[in-house]
Amino acid sequence: MSDFIDTVAAALGLSRNACEVIAHTASKRYKVFEIPKRNGRGVRVVAQPAREVKALQRTIVGLLEQRLPIHPAATAYKHGASIMRNATPHLRAKFITKLDFEGFFPSIDRASLGRHLKQHLVDLTEVEIAFILSSCMWKPKGAEVQRLCIGAPSSPLLSNFVMYPIDTDITRMCAEVGAVYTRYSDDICISAERPDVLGPLEGGIRARIAENRWPILKINEGKRVAVGRGHAMNVTGITLSNQGVATVGRQRKRGVRAGAMRYLSGLLTPDEIVRLKGEIAFVVSVERSFRNVLLRTYGEDIRPLLPRIPL
């Protein structure tokens, strides 16, 4: 790649100078808002880049996604990724331990990302690396350090790239004791068939994470889960049945049925209908037979809510 900045500019149909101006000011051109967390406890800060910054980031991602290594154990934010893909490797497990990173995207600061980019993209100049960093980093109000953020289209690829060495080491550690490892963004899951495996393995994983300095990562102890087959086993929203089958669980399907009844009674608003269609699409993506269950139960009137069957 002869000149990365010129390549980006050509892809966007802008001058090199225009791209450099956008990159130079990108970290301050975000709309910040909060959304409730799914568990109802607290809020998640989202920083949405301005349109021109977003276009710049997407172009950079398009140029880098074939050049930056992403470990197969990283199951989010890449082609074909899904929470189902994350859960499937653990279907036969008898014991599962889950760990969660605290403030995952913001943990990755400019210095950490820059260190990894320089080590891997050795053909790029300091100016080109700085251009990538400036384009893809957010600077919170009052902060001194630029960081990745939730809301930027470049954060998923770059976070997976930064995690490649850790994903590689943990995968090796798991393979040595017959365990399985996946990471869906900030969610780590390890599983095994023997009860004596995961305790020592978790200790090794914690030590590897604690020694990491680029970036410094912290485990959210409040979200740690360790269970065996005597309890409900859930991986990124997917329930692993004792028969080795992935399901969404009875409660979620009951919620869909209740929503279907309200839809047929004309009690849902347009926004509620959209949300119900999304929920049905998710359930059917995990349990395909549930589509026919809904048709048999509610008839053709329910078909507008159902996802299309791929050709």
Side-chain angles (χ1 to χ4, degrees):
M1 196 176 292
S2 56
D3 190 302
F4 187 84
I5 302 175
D6 284 342
T7 303
V8 171
L12 285 170
L14 299 174
S15 68
R16 178 189 178 101
N17 181 66
C19 281
E20 289 178 322
V21 169
I22 295 172
H24 180 69
T25 59
S27 66
K28 298 180 180 179
R29 299 165 73 173
Y30 284 76
K31 179 182 179 181
V32 181
F33 54 95
E34 297 178 341
I35 57 174
K37 292 185 178 181
R38 283 181 296 178
N39 60 13
R41 302 173 184 172
V43 296
R44 195 179 303 278
V45 177
V46 177
Q48 188 79 31
R51 182 180 303 174
E52 61 275 13
V53 176
K54 190 180 295 185
L56 186 63
Q57 292 174 351
R58 284 177 173 157
T59 302
I60 290 171
V61 166
L63 293 172
L64 293 182
E65 60 185 353
Q66 298 303 318
R67 303 191 65 198
L68 300 181
I70 308 298
H71 199 279
T75 57
Y77 310 135
K78 58 186 181 183
H79 180 69
S82 69
I83 58 175
M84 187 65 177
R85 290 274 181 98
N86 185 63
T88 299
H90 305 283
L91 281 176
R92 299 293 178 180
K94 292 183 172 61
F95 303 91
I96 280 180
T97 296
K98 297 186 292 183
L99 303 173
D100 184 275
F101 289 119
E102 189 171 312
F104 178 55
F105 280 177
S107 295
I108 304 173
D109 58 14
R110 183 180 178 119
S112 298
L113 177 58
R115 185 183 181 94
H116 286 269
L117 289 174
K118 289 174 186 177
Q119 288 177 345
H120 192 78
L121 301 175
V122 295
D123 58 316
L124 297 192
T125 66
E126 291 277 350
V127 171
E128 290 168 321
I129 294 293
F131 172 79
I132 295 172
L133 293 170
S134 296
S135 300
C136 299
M137 287 285 167
W138 169 53
K139 188 175 183 181
K141 188 176 181 180
E144 296 182 359
V145 178
Q146 295 180 359
R147 305 179 179 278
L148 294 186
C149 65
I150 300 171
S154 51
S155 292
L157 173 72
L158 296 176
S159 64
N160 271 344
F161 162 61
V162 167
M163 288 294 292
Y164 181 79
I166 295 179
D167 289 336
T168 300
D169 289 346
I170 296 179
T171 298
R172 174 185 52 76
M173 293 164 61
C174 287
E176 290 173 353
V177 295
V180 175
Y181 164 70
T182 61
R183 180 182 58 81
Y184 193 87
S185 185
D186 56 353
D187 294 324
I188 282 179
C189 183
I190 54 174
S191 66
E193 295 188 9
R194 302 200 326 263
D196 58 336
V197 169
L198 295 187
L201 181 58
E202 180 183 349
I205 291 172
R206 285 176 175 273
R208 173 63 181 88
I209 291 170
E211 73 182 15
N212 205 73
R213 288 295 176 266
W214 306 97
I216 295 174
L217 297 166
K218 183 179 179 181
I219 292 175
N220 185 340
E221 299 297 347
K223 291 189 175 182
R224 178 189 178 274
V225 175
V227 296
R229 280 297 179 185
H231 299 79
M233 297 178 68
N234 185 287
V235 178
T236 48
I238 304 294
T239 299
L240 312 184
S241 74
N242 290 329
Q243 292 74 40
V245 176
T247 77
V248 298
R250 295 178 181 177
Q251 185 173 354
R252 198 153 193 172
K253 286 185 283 189
R254 279 199 295 267
V256 167
R257 290 190 176 97
M261 288 298 297
R262 287 175 57 80
Y263 167 78
L264 294 174
S265 300
L267 300 176
L268 296 185
T269 67
D271 286 345
E272 289 172 333
I273 292 173
V274 170
R275 286 194 292 271
L276 178 58
K277 290 178 69 174
E279 180 72 358
I280 291 175
F282 169 73
V283 172
V284 170
S285 72
V286 178
E287 299 186 45
R288 295 185 180 181
S289 62
F290 193 64
R291 176 191 180 91
N292 290 331
V293 170
L294 291 175
L295 283 171
R296 288 197 303 269
T297 304
Y298 303 108
E300 287 297 316
D301 288 343
I302 203 71
R303 192 174 290 277
L305 294 180
L306 303 180
R308 294 181 180 180
I309 300 176
L311 298 177

